[in-house]
């Protein structure tokens, strides 16, 4: 059974760096793309980006150079770093597994397993 | 690509059918359109991917269809556990986006 669990500080000061880690069990960290998604207080969802074991990385252009997603090859974990945060970055942050292909090898991206979410508030 | 969902809220009774719409500002290949269900306090749950393929364990009362800019999620007969918010998502462009959601509420 695939499980993901987010961890990290729930409160970050403006202009500082938000750091979250997702621990994966039940799936190999090498075999999938791993992604972060956030949900704002008004309930809108925003895809942040994904990392496929360092070989294939894609970020939401709206976040520019503030975002980094890394995979720890020695552990079953991947992480999100978001720099220069403001109140607008207050959200529930979800980690998820991105399954990219279907059983026939066709591209069919979908987020098939999710963590329970971690609320991060940006405030002084 | 901007996704618009309609209606914003759907008020229905258990046993009724529901039709949810997702409209894209540009063409989205069917393989790159997915639907998610979210209940209060929970993470979203994958329902349909590739526009029409049900995810593992999803009952057949959930049906996805569509192509180009117009996609539909149909729930043929609402069960009590189906009252939730539904989001569409596209991964066609390099900037993946979600729609704003449709809330299906009990009438």
């Amino acid at each position: 059974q695939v499980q993901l669990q987010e961890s990290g500080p729930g409160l970050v000061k403006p202009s500082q760096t938000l750091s979250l880690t997702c621990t994966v069990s039940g799936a190999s960290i090498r075999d999938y793309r791993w992604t972060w998604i956030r949900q704002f207080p008004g309930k809108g969802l925003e895809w942040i980006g994904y990392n496929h074991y360092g070989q294939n990385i894609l970020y939401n252009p709206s976040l520019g150079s503030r975002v980094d997603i890394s995979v720890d090859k020695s552990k079953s974990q991947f992480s999100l770093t978001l720099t220069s945060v403001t109140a607008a970055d207050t959200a529930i942050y979800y980690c998820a597994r991105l399954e990219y292909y279907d059983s026939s090898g066709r591209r069919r991206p979908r987020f098939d397993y999710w963590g329970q979410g971690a609320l991060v508030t940006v405030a002084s | 690509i901007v996704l618009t969902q309609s209606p914003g809220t759907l008020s229905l009774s258990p046993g009724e059918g529901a039709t949810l719409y997702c409209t894209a500002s540009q063409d989205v290949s069917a393989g790159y359109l997915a639907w998610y269900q979210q209940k209060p306090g929970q993470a979203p749950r994958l329902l349909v991917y590739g526009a029409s393929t049900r995810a593992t364990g999803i009952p057949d009362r959930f049906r996805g269809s569509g192509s180009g800019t117009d996609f539909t999620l149909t729930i043929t007969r609402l069960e009590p556990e189906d009252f939730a918010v539904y989001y569409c998502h596209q991964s066609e462009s390099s900037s993946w986006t979600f729609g704003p959601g449709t809330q299906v509420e009990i009438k």
Side-chain angles (χ1 to χ4, degrees), chain A residues 23-39:
Chain A
T23 301
V24 178
S25 60
S28 170
I29 199 83
R30 296 178 178 82
D31 294 340
Y32 295 92
R33 290 163 172 81
W34 302 97
T35 193
W36 288 93
I37 295 158
R38 63 183 179 178
Q39 187 164 35

Side-chain angles (χ1 to χ4, degrees), chain B residues 25-62:
Chain B
S25 60
Q26 304 172 39
D27 276 357
V28 174
S29 300
Y32 297 94
L33 196 287
W35 290 91
Y36 297 85
Q37 175 195 66
Q38 187 178 33
K39 297 179 182 178
Q42 297 183 16
R45 170 196 182 198
L46 175 66
L47 290 179
V48 169
Y49 64 94
S52 60
T53 302
R54 278 187 299 277
T56 302
I58 301 303
D60 61 8
R61 64 179 181 272
F62 290 92

Side-chain angles (χ1 to χ4, degrees), chain B residues 67-104:
Chain B
S67 63
T69 60
D70 297 306
F71 297 87
T72 301
L73 178 69
T74 301
I75 311 172
T76 54
R77 191 174 64 251
L78 285 162
E79 298 289 341
E81 62 268 27
D82 298 337
F83 291 92
V85 180
Y86 293 82
Y87 296 94
C88 57
H89 169 256
Q90 69 81 21
S91 50
E92 169 86 59
S93 68
S94 60
S95 180
W96 298 4
T97 52
F98 288 88
T102 290
Q103 180 166 4
V104 179

